[in-house]
Every structure is written in structure tokens, then in C-alpha cells.
Amino acid sequence: GSALRGLKNQPPAPEVFRHGWRRPQRSTLRSKFDSRVGSRLSDALVRPLMSAAIDVLHVDDDPSVLDLTEAFLERELDAVAVTSVTDPEAALDRLEADSFDCVVSDYDMPPMDGLEFFDALRDRHRTLPFVLYTGKGSEEIASQALNAGVTGYFQKGGPEQLRRLVNRVDQAVEEYRTKEIAERYSTVIEALGY
């Protein structure tokens, strides 16, 4: 009787696996992970994404709009690299060859309009932010774009519209990178068995 009373006060035994290895209690693992690996893991997963330059692919058939928008993005954002392309097909090729944080696209770019380009892009890059920035704005196009799932829709205009575009690109990239970090953490945590 007295021997059994002593066992009741003991913490539960850790799980025993083949070859005699014992799994430490989860709280012990978590605290060791948090203190030893957590900060290094955070450095490895978060810093590269959040401190890197924003890579924007800008697609418009008008080179003057590409130049103006690139200059404005570079002036307003701390660290941005803009790749300008005049043809949507060439832009799809660039997306396969390089990595981007956001796509800004015109609507009227024969032979493919901005929404057709968006559909082609979504087949390969489901979560990449996509902002439609067009001179052919209408409520119908805006409605189609938002229903299709674009990240943002803006009509071309003066400095105020460019500021709105810059703010949306910055915000969309921050959201995109935050989701990427969460996915990376989740993958690492799963791999470690948490």
C-alpha cells in the first residue's frame, strides 16, 4: 500500500521508444527549442524576408508609364527593385526565371489583357500579390478584377494615385512575406515534431 502511494506523487513516465530512447516531456522540449533554436530560427526565417528589397515586376505596354512608376516606387520605398516588362508573355517567362514579391500590371495590353495575365499567373503563383494599375478604368473592370481575386485595383492618374499604388504594394508585400514566414515556421515546427 505505502509503495503505491509514493508512485501516485511521481510525474508521469516519459514515453519509451524502441532502442531505449526516452522522449523528454513536451514542456522541456519547448523551452529548450525556444531558448536555443528559436532565436536562431527566427533569424534564419524572418530576417531574410523582412529586410530584403521588395522585388516588383511591372507590366505595361507603355514604356513611359513603366519609367514613371519605377521612379516613383524607388523614391517612395526604402528598398525596391523594379523589373519593367512591356509584354505579358515575356512577364510570364520572367516569373518562371526570377522571384518577385509583387506584380503590378496594366489592363489593356494586346494581345492579353491584365485579367487574362492574372489568370495565367495564378495558375503558377497562387499567392503572389497582383495589383491592376490601369488607364482603362471602369466599374465593370474593377468589379471583374476584384471578383477574380486581384490584390488591388487602381486607375492611373497623378501623384496621389501613384502614392496609393505604392502604399498598396508595400502593404501587400508585407502581408505576403508574413504568410511566407508563417508557412516556413509551420514546416520547421512540423519537421521537429511539435
Side-chain angles (χ1 to χ4, degrees):
S2 63
L4 288 176
R5 260 181 281 166
L7 288 176
K8 286 182 182 177
N9 295 331
Q10 296 292 321
E15 298 175 45
V16 178
F17 295 88
R18 284 191 298 152
H19 311 297
W21 183 79
R22 291 175 177 250
R23 173 184 279 179
Q25 290 181 335
R26 192 167 284 285
S27 62
T28 305
L29 279 175
R30 192 170 307 280
S31 65
K32 285 182 181 177
F33 174 81
D34 289 344
S35 64
R36 293 183 187 163
V37 180
S39 64
R40 281 182 260 156
L41 184 63
S42 177
D43 289 348
L45 296 177
V46 176
R47 272 202 191 126
L49 280 177
M50 296 312 273
S51 64
I54 296 173
D55 291 311
V56 176
L57 177 62
H58 187 193
V59 188
D60 196 308
D61 59 342
D62 184 345
S64 63
V65 170
L66 291 171
D67 292 341
L68 177 66
T69 305
E70 180 177 353
F72 206 88
L73 284 165
E74 288 175 347
R75 190 182 86 202
E76 296 293 317
L77 295 174
D78 290 333
V80 66
V82 180
T83 301
S84 298
V85 180
T86 57
D87 175 51
E89 292 290 339
L92 290 171
D93 292 340
R94 287 304 293 264
L95 282 162
E96 291 306 310
D98 298 316
S99 177
F100 294 96
D101 298 305
C102 185
V103 175
V104 175
S105 175
D106 188 19
Y107 176 77
D108 189 23
M109 305 177 291
M112 182 186 301
D113 70 34
L115 291 178
E116 292 168 337
F117 173 57
F118 174 70
D119 287 339
L121 176 141
R122 271 299 176 255
D123 290 340
R124 299 176 199 135
H125 305 280
R126 298 209 55 77
T127 61
L128 189 63
F130 185 96
V131 178
L132 200 60
Y133 185 56
T134 181
K136 284 227 174 185
S138 71
E139 285 185 31
E140 183 182 344
I141 293 171
S143 176
Q144 289 173 353
L146 295 173
N147 286 334
V150 301
T151 310
Y153 172 88
F154 297 95
Q155 282 191 283
K156 292 176 185 171
E160 188 57 38
Q161 284 300 93
L162 281 166
R163 259 187 227 93
R164 287 183 179 138
L165 173 68
V166 168
N167 288 338
R168 187 62 186 121
V169 166
D170 193 34
Q171 178 187 24
V173 169
E174 186 174 329
E175 291 169 6
Y176 175 68
R177 288 179 172 179
T178 300
K179 287 177 187 173
E180 291 284 310
I181 290 167
E183 288 174 16
R184 286 183 184 187
Y185 264 121
S186 178
T187 300
V188 170
I189 297 301
E190 277 182 32
L192 292 173
Y194 284 92

